[in-house]
Amino acid sequence: MTVALRYAARSDVGLVRTNNQDSAYAGPHLLMVADGMGGHAGGDVASSVAVAAFAPLDGESHGPDDALDQLEAALESARDDLLARVDADPDLAGMGTTVIAILRAGNKLAMVHLGDSRGYLFRDGVLTQVTTDHTFVQHLVDIGRITPEEAEHHPQRSVVMRVLGDFDAEVTPDLSVREARPGDRWLLCSDGLSGFVSADTIEETLRTIADVDACADRLVQLALRAGGGDNVTVVLADVIELDDVADGAGPTTAATVVGAAATTRNNPTSAADGPAARAASLTQSAARQKTSQDPADDEDDDPADLPAVPVTVSAVGDEDEDDDEPVGRRRLRPGLVWTFAGLLTAAVLVLGYLWTQTQYYVADQDGEVVILRGLPQTLGPVALSTVVERSGTSMDDLGSAYLRGRVEQTIHATSLEDARDLVRMLEQDAEEQADEPTRTPTPTATPLLPAPQPTTAPAVDPAAGVTSP
């Protein structure tokens, strides 16, 4: 049996983000999605660097026994490149990216996964998520604190515990090997799809649209119609048996690069007509119009430019006629206004304080992981938060520099118990990173048949860390 992949890759900036920080690659031997971390400097650079490090694997020089080693080597190469770039440009410090990649070696598929980008397998009409998110909410699901349905709307669902970044400590990826079975359909995606489109809708789309290009386009449009609140990236691949394909109908061997790693990274959204698309279009149009205005046009204070306002002028009598209103009443008005304003201000302050006492977050205080109640801000010399619990865990005990960075930036919690769970998760993840050896599954023994077609990988620009077809 000689198998091959028929694939498609799509990436869209979405309806909210100003730039695309996702990158993806699809070729005859390599499928990959990297989601640059939103809110971190250089997320687009990080995802591009990751794709550039993995792209050379898209060839026939590896077998199933060493595929996992090559994926790990590419991950380490990407990390070294990220460190070098931060050394050259300190403004990029803190950048990171998720990584999910599948490397085909004959009829075996080796996978590496890090972060919350997902891998799905659609087999025999059933969709299965084959990756586990490295997120805080997934940990809560694993320990039974919340249900998978609650996790979809949890306020901490974007807190990723493992990423590839410019950190001193290494992180442990998930590694696995599976059989490439004809008829299978594989989907790799960023959370711009999985976070906005339900698994049931994804499954129905994979079932009803046979063409990989049309199906990938449809998945992107579904995410955009759902609001498009994040970059949307999709890599779709069908496993086919070449012996069953008519002459000249085989899959292409040309690689596809999309997102931040592609020359088309600045393309506008492809959103079709819909409420979210129309709203985004109006917002962007208004912003462009405001930007294009001449600054002089903002000087609208000239009385000649203002509309005329009718004014009623009454005859002025003697001073006694102006005293129709009692003097006492006239003098009390300013006092009443100031009294009311003072009471309103006091009420706002009291309500605001009470609200802050329902807010919790995890942060670093003097090198220790602590739980605070309030807001991580100050009002002049007054701090708006107080420590409610000390974990006794030193920041240095956190094995991952990424975790330390998240704590230093503070992580919001919905309740005190939520904050405690987060602290336990930080400690547990740090222990696993320090103690857990790298897991390398042993592929099942299956005859290896050579891939039938040559591959030409895209060129890599080492200066920009960007791959292009």
Side-chain angles (χ1 to χ4, degrees):
M1 179 178 66
T2 303
V3 300
L5 300 177
R6 179 177 282 117
Y7 48 84
R10 300 289 187 272
S11 188
D12 193 285
V13 67
L15 301 176
V16 176
R17 307 293 187 186
T18 57
N19 71 320
N20 196 345
Q21 297 193 350
D22 290 359
S23 295
Y25 183 104
H29 297 87
L30 178 69
L31 310 171
M32 179 182 181
V33 168
D35 181 356
M37 301 310 296
H40 291 275
D44 51 348
V45 175
S47 66
S48 299
V49 166
V51 167
F54 278 76
L57 298 182
D58 192 15
E60 301 178 11
S61 59
H62 42 260
D65 293 336
D66 64 351
L68 288 176
D69 292 336
Q70 296 199 29
L71 287 173
E72 287 192 282
L75 199 67
E76 184 64 23
S77 176
R79 177 175 171 273
D80 291 342
D81 198 355
L82 291 176
L83 290 170
R85 286 176 179 275
V86 171
D87 287 340
D89 185 0
D91 289 340
L92 295 176
M95 63 178 173
T97 182
T98 69
V99 171
I100 180 168
I102 291 178
L103 181 61
R104 184 179 73 83
N107 63 346
K108 295 295 180 181
L109 301 176
M111 175 185 288
V112 62
H113 172 240
L114 198 62
D116 64 347
S117 294
R118 291 182 177 179
Y120 292 93
L121 171 60
F122 183 71
R123 171 179 289 176
D124 298 330
V126 178
L127 183 68
T128 304
Q129 181 181 333
V130 299
T131 56
T132 301
D133 296 343
H134 297 147
T135 60
F136 173 55
V137 295
Q138 182 60 46
H139 169 71
L140 296 181
V141 172
D142 293 340
I143 63 176
R145 282 294 309 279
I146 62 175
T147 66
E149 291 74 23
E150 291 172 331
E152 294 178 0
H153 307 287
H154 196 282
Q156 298 297 340
R157 62 186 180 277
S158 61
V159 178
V160 183
M161 307 307 293
R162 299 186 197 177
V163 294
L164 174 68
D166 61 319
F167 317 123
D168 296 333
E170 296 183 7
V171 291
T172 304
D174 291 339
L175 300 166
S176 59
V177 175
R178 293 176 175 82
E179 180 184 1
R181 182 185 299 181
D184 285 352
R185 171 167 281 189
W186 285 88
L187 169 64
L188 307 183
C189 66
S190 64
D191 61 345
L193 175 69
S194 59
F196 292 85
V197 182
S198 70
D200 289 341
T201 301
I202 293 175
E203 181 179 78
E204 180 65 17
T205 304
L206 297 180
R207 177 184 297 110
T208 56
I209 303 179
D211 181 76
V212 289
D213 289 288
C215 189
D217 288 334
R218 178 60 177 168
L219 290 171
V220 170
Q221 290 302 318
L222 287 171
L224 296 175
R225 290 182 66 86
D230 200 353
N231 307 143
V232 188
T233 300
V234 169
V235 170
L236 194 63
D238 288 342
V239 180
I240 63 174
E241 185 172 354
L242 289 178
D243 293 340
D244 296 336
V245 177
D247 293 341
T252 178
T253 59
T256 301
V257 182
V258 295
T263 56
T264 57
R265 55 186 169 272
N266 295 322
N267 281 3
T269 180
S270 62
D273 187 41
R278 288 195 294 270
S281 177
L282 290 174
T283 301
Q284 295 166 1
S285 176
R288 287 192 298 268
Q289 183 177 2
K290 182 177 180 180
T291 303
S292 63
Q293 284 182 342
D294 188 330
D297 293 341
D298 294 331
E299 299 175 2
D300 294 329
D301 294 333
D302 188 342
D305 296 332
L306 297 175
V309 177
V311 178
T312 301
V313 180
S314 52
V316 179
D318 56 33
E319 294 181 0
D320 292 337
E321 293 177 347
D322 291 335
D323 292 333
D324 292 339
E325 187 175 19
V327 174
R329 181 182 176 188
R330 198 165 58 237
R331 290 177 178 173
L332 283 175
R333 279 183 172 178
L336 287 173
V337 170
W338 285 110
T339 300
F340 177 76
L343 291 174
L344 181 61
T345 301
V348 170
L349 291 176
V350 170
L351 292 175
Y353 172 77
L354 294 176
W355 176 80
T356 64
Q357 298 310 291
T358 66
Q359 305 301 302
Y360 294 87
Y361 65 96
V362 177
D364 166 28
Q365 187 175 83
D366 299 327
E368 181 184 3
V369 179
V370 298
I371 299 175
L372 299 98
R373 179 170 56 199
L375 301 177
Q377 300 170 359
T378 58
L379 188 61
V382 180
L384 299 182
S385 62
T386 56
V387 176
V388 294
E389 287 188 9
R390 294 186 175 275
S391 68
T393 300
S394 168
M395 290 289 290
D396 294 335
D397 292 338
L398 301 181
S400 167
Y402 174 73
L403 295 182
R404 292 196 296 271
R406 291 305 305 263
V407 175
E408 289 170 354
Q409 296 170 9
T410 75
I411 305 177
H412 174 72
T414 57
S415 64
L416 178 58
E417 191 57 35
D418 188 25
R420 290 168 176 164
D421 284 337
L422 182 54
V423 170
R424 285 192 288 266
M425 173 65 176
L426 290 169
E427 295 171 341
Q428 177 182 340
D429 195 86
E431 292 174 0
E432 291 176 353
Q433 293 295 317
D435 301 335
E436 183 182 82
T438 301
R439 292 166 292 177
T440 305
T442 302
T444 55
T446 305
L448 173 64
L449 296 177
Q453 302 183 37
T455 300
T456 301
V460 177
D461 181 358
V466 174
T467 61
S468 59

